Amino acid sequence: MTTSTGTGSTVLSNAPTLASPIITTPSLTNPTSSNGTFTTPSLTNPTVTNYVETLYAPAAGSSFTIALSNGTVQRFTTNANTTVTLPASVAGKSFVVMVQYGGTHTLTWAGGSTLKWNAGVAPIATSVNGKIDIFSFFQDGTNTYGSTFGQNF
């Protein structure tokens, strides 16, 4: 192409190179490999910045069963004395449970002998209408270790 007349032809590469590609919203949906679908994909030493976890918050009740398929941050609102049943221990799993009290309700943790609290004593629920207690749980494949993140928020 000439600069003075604008006539001629231009050939563009059919394999352009991006100098600084930017991915603004990456997603991974049903990843597959050359031999099928990944069943246990893993990341090694990733850096994750500004991520958001799903908050699972079902309707108020008096009995809740933690299903980690709903997410690792779960918030329950009591409407009577409440029992929370924890999942079986899986090595490397961790999750957070937020309990908002809908009244002066007791809180019971079901997890059998594999649930361990500091000093062997479950924390005492705040049990005040509108207040929130937050608990963290860590699992090693045999036991689930519970700790109080904070209470009476």
Side-chain angles (χ1 to χ4, degrees), residues 5-78:
T5 64
T7 60
S9 60
T10 301
V11 177
L12 300 174
S13 171
N14 63 359
T17 301
L18 296 174
S20 296
I22 297 174
I23 300 173
T24 56
T25 309
S27 78
L28 182 61
T29 305
N30 298 323
T32 59
S33 68
S34 61
N35 62 353
T37 302
F38 289 120
T39 55
T40 54
S42 64
L43 299 173
T44 302
N45 199 24
T47 299
V48 180
T49 303
N50 196 23
Y51 72 97
V52 176
E53 294 183 73
T54 299
L55 173 63
Y56 174 69
S62 62
S63 178
F64 300 99
T65 298
I66 304 291
L68 295 178
S69 58
N70 291 326
T72 56
V73 178
Q74 301 197 13
R75 180 178 180 158
F76 304 120
T77 301
T78 67

Side-chain angles (χ1 to χ4, degrees), residues 75-78 98-102 130-133:
R75 180 178 180 158
F76 304 120
T77 301
T78 67
M98 304 168 70
V99 178
Q100 180 169 357
Y101 299 94
K131 294 295 184 176
I132 297 173
D133 291 345

